[in-house]
């Protein structure tokens, strides 16, 4: 690891100013589970490291039946995975968080870091897409909100401007008759990266499936929504095996995977179909129960 | 008191789990500095020049070395083809070219980046089947004919320029066997198989600490498998007399064949000599995976002649071992891999051509099961296919073809302590073999598979130990056997305790240090219980002889009438007439204790001779120390939508002759299953088109976790004990046989579940889905 200067600001504004001042040479430190590995491997060589650890208010989960769920950017994956409300109402998020690394890693890794790192394979990203997350962004100049669909611009890149910091994620309230699931395909059952991740969420209205969201990870330059497949599920009632199969094919067609050392594009496309079918079915089952 | 044969706890367990164990990386010496290696970024290139001036000027840098600082000698196991630091050419990505020692590892790394090497890039050769051709334009070693060689290869009309090993077995009339199969209603079964490109992936990466003394003697601490192989390598690389080199092996965090030589130690030593300071080097995980020896693949073409009742009539194998830039330990693999073919089955005809070639990849080295873990893949898959074709149960088919005790195998070796029947029977029983798997329903399909294996332990070889008796009735065993995690020190402790009839806390193991401990060949080839165990019994006997001779005058009896046990030297038949071990020692004037006569130090050397391997016929009556046998079975479930494989149940029945420590054997069975499952299903070193490894980390190089293992209640360890006439207490080794049948057992189980065969390891989900789809398409089309 190369030498670097270390800052521990206590306000978002202070952190933002430092980030803007050393633009391009500074990196934010949240849980450090990506950054520190990169620094050791010298794929990351920041001259300045700005810790978010000492800024009050960035950590924590709050829920209100009226306004919904708020998750601070510094909230640990382990907290998301074990939170009763998230497990019950925002199940895909708990499942996405639970897929990150090992328990030890999840006690360090944060939701803000996972999303800000903007990996196309980020386990929490697909869940955020299907749970309609709004991303709260802070800077020395104030606050703004970006819908999760509009956050990612490419592998490792987002719409964040120099000096901007993700501070929280807000999720609309989810009624009891809603359900969601995240599934991840990998070689090892644990401690592995997704070569395909799929999250689905639905709400039931009088037995009909509405508001279907399907999020795909690791099959395009950014996490994406499978909007064609969502439309198919919303359009037909009841959702039969054939409809699920149609949606699976549509999701598969909308994915834009690459072949890499983990597997081929063809195999990824097949898995997108399988996981779309399974997660939509599970989301419906969960909404019914 | 019998502790041999009981499950005592590992003697090194507490120090390991409490973090007290001292590994190489824990060693810190005064004024010690740190080394990093500058490695080749190219797979094949001429070195035109090396400029180290910028690196040398970096503050904190203490020494930089290149080939110019070293004696111009080539190293190797049997074909000496490799310089410690690249001399005039580089032959794989990651080959060491230069090295830096600096005040911190970070400075050393920065300095490595400042070393400028001018290369003339050459076309690279990656494909072993290209490398073996006579007309391949790319030649890795133009000076091959001039290299010093300690082994003869089979005669060839013309040697392909990149070929460094050729070994043949010629037994019976293979053409007649094929004709017989065709004439008498049998069949010929011919397939191509490949094993995977895998790594030992030890928890402890390679590393070393080197220090020179004022008289020009070198001490190296390194986690290795043999202090004497390391000493000889260091002595040759640095042009030092062997007595000037001392090698100390600290606690080792796994080796599995990957730590036979200590190149890093030699590089650290060269830097240390120049910097005049102790130097430590520890490889990063990326270096460890991408630039040390790997279990590079074999390609097998196998053709079996089979009678209509499933009798093997003959077997023809052509195999190519995918060597890297240098021959390394891989030089022996084309020979030793052939030991599996005649090891279990009666073969009226066996014809083998086994080759090894250079390519521009990492060096092919040892990994648990040396050659046999690879050749079991084609053989035991063929046996499964033959069983299906003949409509015979796979266990029965194997039983029908097994050798019998005393029979000469297809290499003329009489089989002794042949236990394949018992291993196979017990494994099948543990697998509930006759009962088909319960099917959970689409898309999951379950199936069972079984395979047999055998593993030689090489010869010639030797082990020596010394046993010192102390005045407090404690016993110190000096050994150069290395405990790599396999439990060698625990078993040796049990032997000494039994030989002297005392508690195990009376035993101390003095661990490998060439200044103190006598010669032992290597912790490899499952040889330590067998060889070091025998040497230990001999040194115990020698010590007891000395004790009887010391006691005889005091008891006024002939030494032959005395026996030693439980801290007493007593008269045979009259245990009340004795002298305590403590009383063999006298109190000196200055109140120290010394032995009554001389030091009681027993010495024992165990040697196994061998008849030489004839590279043209492979016929050898006694080419190995012993042959171990084992059978493994797996039950898997396969998801045909994703290709995912779960191992539900695993049984491993191995013959160890005598289980010195049954719990240790059980751990070998489980550890072997874990490693074998990883190798068969997941592990795969990947390279880009330039020969650069692309998954040199534990995210993308997938060793299994505990979750990939069956639940412990479905892991079955079965110990078979067919005593070997030369083994200590009848014992044979257990370390390697446990990974030999694993891959074919899993492949056969996958076939049983979903009816597809994957010929090239690893058996990944993607390959399984593809084969399943092709099978569906074929069956719907027909």
């Amino acid at each position: 690891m190369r030498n670097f200067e270390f800052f521990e600001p206590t306000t978002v504004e202070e952190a933002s100013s430092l980030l803007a001042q050393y633009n391009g040479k500074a990196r934010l430190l949240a849980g450090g589970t990506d950054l520190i590995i990169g620094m050791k491997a010298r794929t990351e060589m920041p001259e300045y490291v700005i810790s978010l650890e000492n800024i009050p208010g960035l950590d924590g989960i709050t829920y209100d039946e009226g306004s919904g769920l708020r998750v601070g950017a510094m909230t640990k994956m382990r907290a998301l995975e074990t939170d009763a409300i998230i497990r019950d109402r925002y199940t895909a998020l708990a499942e996405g968080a639970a897929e990150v690394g090992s328990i030890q890693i999840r006690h360090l890794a944060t939701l803000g870091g996972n999303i800000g790192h903007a990996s196309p394979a980020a386990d929490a990203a697909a869940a955020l897409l299907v749970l309609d997350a709004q991303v709260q962004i802070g800077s020395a100049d104030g606050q703004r909100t970006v819908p999760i669909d509009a956050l990612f611009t490419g592998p490792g890149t987002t719409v964040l401007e120099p000096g901007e910091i993700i501070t929280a994620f807000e999720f609309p309230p989810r009624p009891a008759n809603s359900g969601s699931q995240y599934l991840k395909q990998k070689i090892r059952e644990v401690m592995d990266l997704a070569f395909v991740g799929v999250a689905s969420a639905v709400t039931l209205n009088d037995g009909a499936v509405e508001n279907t969201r399907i999020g795909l990870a690791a099959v395009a330059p950014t996490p994406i929504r499978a909007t064609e497949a969502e439309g198919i599920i919303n359009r037909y009632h009841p959702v039969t095996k054939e409809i699920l199969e149609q949606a699976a094919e549509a999701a598969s067609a909308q994915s834009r995977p690459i072949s890499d050392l983990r597997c081929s594009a063809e195999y990824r496309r097949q898995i997108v179909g399988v996981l779309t079918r399974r997660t939509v079915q599970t989301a419906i089952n969960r909404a019914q129960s | 008191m019998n502790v041999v044969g009981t499950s005592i706890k590992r003697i090194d367990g507490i120090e390991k789990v409490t973090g007290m164990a001292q590994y190489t990386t824990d060693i810190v010496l005064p004024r010690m500095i740190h080394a990093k290696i500058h490695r080749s970024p190219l797979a094949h290139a001429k070195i035109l020049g090396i400029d180290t001036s910028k690196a040398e000027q970096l503050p904190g840098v203490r020494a930089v070395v290149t080939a110019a600082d070293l004696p111009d000698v080539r190293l190797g196991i049997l074909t000496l083809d490799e310089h410690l630091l690249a001399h005039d050419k580089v032959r794989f990505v990651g080959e060491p070219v230069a090295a830096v020692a600096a005040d911190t590892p970070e400075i050393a790394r920065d300095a490595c980046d400042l070393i400028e090497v001018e290369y003339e890039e050459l076309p690279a050769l990656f494909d072993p089947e290209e490398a073996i051709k006579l007309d391949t334009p790319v030649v890795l070693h133009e000076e091959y004919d001039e290299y010093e060689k300690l082994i003869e290869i089979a005669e060839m009309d013309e040697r392909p320029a990149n070929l460094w090993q050729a070994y043949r077995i010629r037994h019976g009339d293979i053409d007649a066997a094929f004709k017989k199969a065709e004439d008498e209603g049998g069949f010929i079964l011919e397939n191509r198989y490949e094993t995977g490109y895998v790594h030992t992936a030890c928890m402890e990466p390679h590393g070393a600490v080197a220090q020179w003394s004022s008289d020009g003697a070198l001490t190296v601490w390194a986690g290795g498998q043999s202090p004497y192989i390391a000493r000889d390598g260091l002595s040759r690389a640095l042009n030092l007399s062997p007595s000037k080199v001392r090698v100390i092996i600290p606690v080792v965090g796994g080796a599995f064949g990957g730590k036979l030589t200590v190149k890093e130690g030699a590089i650290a030593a060269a830097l240390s000599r120049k910097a005049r300071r102790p130097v430590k080097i520890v490889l990063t995980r990326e270096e460890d995976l991408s630039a040390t020896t790997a279990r590079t693949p074999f390609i097998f073409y196998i053709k079996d002649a089979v009678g209509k009742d499933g009798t093997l009539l003959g077997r023809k194998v052509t195999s190519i071992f995918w060597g890297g830039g240098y021959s390394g330990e891989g030089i022996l693999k084309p020979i030793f891999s052939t030991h599996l073919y005649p090891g279990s089955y009666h073969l009226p005809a066996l014809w083998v051509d086994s080759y090894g070639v250079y390519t521009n990849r990492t060096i092919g080295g040892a990994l648990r099961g040396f050659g046999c873990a690879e050749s079991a893949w084609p053989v035991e898959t063929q046996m499964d296919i033959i069983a299906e074709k003949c409509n015979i149960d796979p266990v029965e088919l194997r039983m029908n073809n097994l050798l019998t005790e005393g029979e000469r195998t297809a290499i003329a070796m009489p089989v002794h302590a042949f236990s394949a029947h018992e291993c196979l029977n017990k494994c099948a029983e543990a697998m509930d073999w006759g009962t088909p798997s319960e099917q959970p329903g689409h898309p999951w399909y379950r199936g069972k598979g079984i395979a047999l294996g055998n593993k030689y332990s090489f010869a010639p070889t030797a082990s020596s130990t010394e046993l010192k008796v102390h005045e407090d009735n404690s016993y110190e065993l000096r050994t150069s056997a290395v405990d790599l995690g396999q439990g060698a020190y625990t078993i040796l402790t049990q032997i000494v305790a039994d030989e002297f009839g005392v508690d195990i806390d009376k035993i101390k193991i003095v661990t490998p240090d060439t200044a103190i401990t006598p010669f032992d060949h290597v912790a490899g080839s499952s040889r330590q219980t067998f060889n070091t165990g025998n040497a230990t019994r001999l040194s115990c006997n020698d010590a007891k002889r000395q004790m009887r001779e010391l006691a005889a005058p005091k008891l006024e009896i002939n030494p032959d009438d005395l026996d030693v046990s439980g801290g007493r030297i007593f008269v045979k038949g009259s245990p009340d007439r004795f002298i305590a071990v403590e009383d063999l020692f006298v109190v000196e004037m200055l109140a120290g204790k010394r032995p009554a006569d001389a030091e009681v130090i027993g010495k024992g050397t165990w040697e196994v001779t061998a008849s030489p391997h004839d590279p043209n016929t492979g016929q050898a009556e006694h080419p190995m120390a012993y042959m171990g046998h084992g059978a493994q079975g797996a039950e898997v479930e396969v998801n045909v939508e994703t290709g995912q494989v779960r191992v539900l149940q695993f049984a491993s029945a191995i013959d160890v002759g005598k289980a010195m420590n049954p719990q240790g054997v059980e751990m070998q069975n489980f550890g072997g299953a874990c490693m074998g499952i990883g190798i068969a299903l997941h592990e795969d070193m990947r390279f880009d088109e330039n020969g650069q490894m692309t998954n040199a980390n534990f995210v993308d190089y997938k060793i299994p976790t505990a979750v990939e293992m069956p639940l412990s209640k479905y892991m079955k360890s079965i110990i078979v004990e067919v005593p070997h006439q030369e083994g200590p207490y009848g014992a044979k080794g257990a370390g390697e046989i446990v990974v030999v049948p694993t891959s074919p057992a899993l492949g056969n189980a996958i076939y049983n579940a979903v009816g597809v065969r994957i010929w090239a390891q690893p058996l990944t989900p993607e390959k399984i889905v593809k084969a399943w789809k092709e099978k569906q398409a074929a069956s719907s089309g027909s």
Side-chain angles (χ1 to χ4, degrees), chain B residues 640-709:
Chain B
V640 294
E641 290 179 348
T642 61
Q644 190 182 352
V645 176
R646 288 188 190 136
V647 185
L648 302 173
Q649 189 189 159
F650 195 89
S652 182
I654 60 162
D655 170 29
V656 294
K658 161 80 180 174
M660 308 292 281
N661 185 327
Q663 192 181 46
V665 179
E666 184 173 84
M667 292 300 107
Q668 287 283 10
N669 262 331
F670 293 167
C674 178
M675 191 168 202
I677 288 170
I679 288 171
L681 301 183
H682 310 297
E683 296 180 38
D684 191 12
M685 292 170 69
R686 305 290 291 272
F687 298 83
D688 66 16
E689 65 280 9
N690 301 314
Q692 169 79 52
M693 188 176 171
T694 52
N695 60 341
N697 59 69
F698 280 156
V699 173
D700 292 316
Y701 182 83
K702 298 187 194 293
I703 55 174
T705 70
V707 182
E708 274 71 53
M709 295 298 105

Side-chain angles (χ1 to χ4, degrees), chain B residues 211-219 239-246 273 276 515:
Chain B
Q211 183 178 37
W212 294 81
S213 60
S214 55
D215 62 348
L218 168 68
T219 302
N239 196 21
L240 293 166
S241 171
S243 69
K244 287 282 189 189
V245 183
R246 177 180 183 185
R273 181 158 58 183
R276 298 176 178 276

Side-chain angles (χ1 to χ4, degrees), chain B residues 408-441:
Chain B
R408 282 180 186 270
T409 72
I411 61 166
M413 181 185 88
V415 290
H416 167 64
F418 187 70
S419 51
H421 303 79
E422 194 177 339
C423 294
L424 201 49
N425 265 332
K426 290 198 165 155
C427 181
E429 195 185 322
M431 291 289 300
D432 204 0
W433 182 254
T435 315
S437 298
E438 280 177 38
Q439 293 302 335

